[in-house]
Amino acid sequence: MLARVWSASLVGIDAVRVGVEVDVSGGLPAIVVVGLPGTEVQESRERVKAALKNAGYAFPMRRIVVNLTPADLRKEGPCFDLPISVGILAASDQVSADLLGDYLFLGEVSLDGGLRPVAGVLPVAAAAQQMGIRGLVVPADNAREASLVRGLEVYGFQHLKEVADFLNGPQKYEPVTFAGMATERRSPPTGADLRDVKGQAHARRALEIAAAGGHNLIFVGPPGSGKTMLARRLPSILPPLSFEEALEVTQIHSVAGLLKERGALVSDRPFRSPHHSASGPSLVGGGSYPRPGEISLAHRGILFLDELTEFKRDVLEFLRQPLEDGYVSISRTRQSVAFPAQFTLVASTNPCPCGYFGDSIQACTCSPRQRENYWAKLSGPLMDRIDLQVAVNRLKPEEITRQPTGEESQKVGDRVQVARDRARKRYQDEPQLRSNAELQSRHLRRWCPLNDAACTLLEGAIRKLGLSARATDRILKVSRTIADLAGEDHIQTPHVAEAVQYRTIDRMQ
């Protein structure tokens, strides 16, 4: 007898519907899986056989052929255990096949028949809704995640017996419902707050601008000046994720298998901080079966690269396309996938190999040639893509001991939220724009016009600093954000003058 069960396979963060056809016929007892199965799918033969027996069902002592369609799509992961098990039960008349065409099945099966969670359920649920699938049958630990997609029936079970009972009598079960998510501002989980930072008014202002406009930022200064401390407090002033943004972020973390650490919905903006020894594939994603890297895991959040010049130059060059386009493309022989990567880059570095160039307390011991080679690791095109370049100096002794703490994150975050709301209202006819940092050249002509005085100032800065056209566009975006923070509808000369200040070290040596 033949039975067909629907499942899904992931290509990047997109799900493709997979048909699991099970034929039980005469012949020597065996299970054959065809349709380009991966190693985990091949191993499911033994798991399914033991699970059905230990769950109390009769395993057909006949020839069983499992065909996964489409045959030219590589199937990976243990998520096909459950649909194969259901297909065998249906083909051997142990469960009803009436509902098999209405639901999509995913899940790993343990040897005792229990259902174990799998990665990537949320993007599968989103795709199932678009396919017109009625609902999903998944392990109980995946049910809340799948229920984030509204209008889809989601059933979560602990054991194969429960799945079989559901197929034979669905009226006894109720689908899982999602209670919703909180959208109010919450304190950062680490307790990091800007009030812990003394002094550094210029750097604090740059953090506020970066948060309000989503701009990339680099801090340059000697050891102990507070670069890392400042960067790690940026999440505390960022606005919370909207529900749509949270779904985007959660899908990526679901594919990467990280939701066990973050809960069912990623409601906080990601903050990723890879070590400077990270390889290119770990940063941008990859592998024979592509998985998202750090820049995609930082989508809608922060990618913090501490000690930027310690990263390999070829690894840093991988950042250029994602910083410009907001996504990363990974090509392999069999497929090409694209992962979203709309993140804010925050970096820190010393001004020279010894770290004390320009320091007022300790003299630099580096030669001009050493400083030149040090900064050569950061290419001009990469620095052009960093909007805010801020020099951070060490505090004076009296500033450390006597200066009061700074303004708390809550107040700064409120100003950031107001500026973001102004931008969102301005771009209401461009729903793909969520911040000023995402403006393209065509948008700048419309929303970033300059008066004669501001234009003259910008032209002088271009000549004096040797700025590229890309760097000039970045200045206009930062000027737009500064104007939003000031509550101005039009960019004024002081806004451009402040934005130009943040381009003075992109040729530092």
Side-chain angles (χ1 to χ4, degrees), residues 163-185:
V163 178
D165 290 342
F166 167 73
L167 293 174
N168 291 325
Q171 64 277 0
K172 296 184 295 183
Y173 295 89
E174 293 292 331
V176 177
T177 57
F178 177 60
M181 65 170 283
T183 57
E184 66 271 8
R185 176 178 295 279

Side-chain angles (χ1 to χ4, degrees), residues 278-292:
S279 64
S282 70
L283 198 63
V284 301
S288 58
Y289 191 71
R291 284 289 185 267

